[in-house]
Amino acid sequence: MVNAKTVKLEAGLYFVATPIGTARDITLRALDILASADVLAAEDTRSMRRLMDIHGIPLGDRPLLSYHDHNGARARPKLMQFLAEGRSVAYASEAGTPLIADPGFDLSKEASSEGYLVTSAPGPTAIVTALTLAGLPTDKFLFVGFLPNTKAARISAIEAVREVPATLVFYESPKRIAAMLANSLTVLGDRPAAVCRELTKKFEEIRRGTLSELIDSVKERPPKGEIVVVIDRAGKATVNESDLEEDLREALGRMSVKDASEMVAGVHGIPRRKVYQLALAMDRTDG
Ligand code: SAM
């Protein structure tokens, strides 16, 4: 069964969302656009051809250009030229929604600043799929994307979002997941979280629990494939002073004042400065 139909498209740039796993997650409108655009461009032309084959869409004699992070500056003028000629150009990244941790931003900016129609056929994205399944509040969320590779930069990036009153969404790789969860526990405290992997695919799996539970689970059974980590916002501060002091004393016994206050502040969801002052005072008195 061929679902795509050829339609008359206005000249302009069409960002087309593609599946993040299951090929049939593409929308009918996305198929129509892929079947009808004068020019196709893709982050990965092979994936685009495969997707079109699956859905019975012939490329015919239409151009299929490669456009990704590394050739953007060179490839963009060609796509802009097609727009200048009044053609319709469809762009898809390798999977999911273009521009979401994927190429497309510069293209979108340039095409819109030149006054061309820029529109989108929305569809799958791992952010929303993970939020739907994580079991954490979705009223407000912050997409943090991929964290930096080095430990110090990763910790600063997590610190930067610690006080954000929203569910946090991260893209991660199986190689770094253990380190990322450990750093998150240190900086954010033991918050509820979820590791969502292989969404919409055969081995889709959601592990829900506190960060320390998830660290154990990842140690026991390292997850493979593509991963989104979702972490709850800081809880309301309800700790009393003596519990706080007890936790701090225990932490000061095995780490520096800075690390101890960071960890205890994270666990209780209270400002780090306040805990740091207390830790300094305790360190002076006890030490
Ligand atoms: N544009 C895509 C989107 O809209 O979600 C994201 C592209 S980004 C280069 C790829 C990352 O997204 C993966 O490393 C993973 O963190 C996440 N991701 C993509 N597909 C996924 C899936 N099926 N399950 C879990 N995570 C996925």
Side-chain angles (χ1 to χ4, degrees), residues 15-265:
F15 285 110
V16 177
T18 57
I20 56 168
T22 298
R24 290 181 67 80
D25 278 344
I26 194 153
T27 70
L28 295 176
R29 180 160 168 258
L31 293 180
D32 292 349
I33 291 171
L34 294 182
S36 313
D38 298 321
V39 176
L40 298 163
E43 181 186 12
D44 180 337
T45 53
R46 275 200 310 182
S47 308
M48 176 70 117
R49 278 177 189 276
R50 205 177 319 120
L51 187 68
M52 290 170 70
D53 279 349
I54 290 172
H55 295 288
I57 299 173
L59 179 61
D61 54 9
R62 296 178 296 162
L64 169 56
L65 281 78
S66 152
Y67 181 89
H68 48 72
D69 282 338
H70 305 293
N71 76 348
R74 242 179 313 124
R76 214 160 32 250
K78 286 187 219 153
L79 296 176
M80 296 302 294
Q81 181 58 34
F82 283 123
L83 292 174
E85 290 166 5
R87 315 267 200 115
S88 52
V89 177
Y91 177 72
S93 57
E94 196 191 339
T97 299
L99 282 84
I100 303 300
D102 261 347
F105 172 67
D106 290 331
L107 184 58
S108 167
K109 207 166 74 168
E110 194 163 329
S112 54
S113 72
E114 294 290 324
Y116 299 119
L117 166 79
V118 177
T119 187
S120 146
T125 177
I127 306 173
V128 175
T129 315
L131 278 167
T132 311
L133 303 176
L136 294 168
T138 54
D139 56 326
K140 274 190 214 157
F141 63 87
L142 175 72
F143 175 53
V144 189
F146 287 103
L147 289 169
N149 269 323
T150 64
K151 184 179 173 191
R154 200 162 53 230
I155 288 178
S156 323
I158 301 171
E159 278 171 349
V161 297
R162 206 181 77 160
E163 311 296 338
V164 173
T167 297
L168 306 172
V169 185
F170 302 84
Y171 281 176
E172 246 326 324
S173 83
K175 266 196 295 183
R176 268 194 328 232
I177 181 78
M180 182 272 180
L181 292 174
N183 298 152
S184 300
L185 175 65
T186 310
V187 178
L188 305 173
D190 206 6
R191 299 186 187 181
V195 172
C196 310
R197 81 171 183 101
E198 293 291 90
L199 296 164
T200 78
K201 302 187 204 177
K202 187 172 174 198
F203 295 107
E204 177 176 286
E205 179 194 27
I206 316 294
R207 301 188 199 178
R208 304 180 184 87
T210 60
L211 282 170
S212 57
E213 287 166 347
L214 291 171
I215 289 171
D216 290 345
S217 154
V218 162
K219 219 175 273 167
E220 213 168 282
R221 243 178 344 112
K224 295 197 190 115
E226 296 193 284
I227 299 174
V228 183
V229 176
V230 186
I231 304 181
D232 205 353
R233 71 200 75 186
K236 288 235 170 358
T238 50
V239 65
N240 65 44
E241 202 81 349
S242 66
D243 285 349
L244 192 63
E245 283 185 17
E246 196 181 315
D247 285 359
L248 255 182
R249 191 159 292 119
E250 191 275 325
L252 283 168
R254 52 192 174 87
M255 48 181 104
S256 69
V257 170
K258 183 167 173 282
D259 288 347
S261 35
E262 236 168 42
M263 196 202 75
V264 172

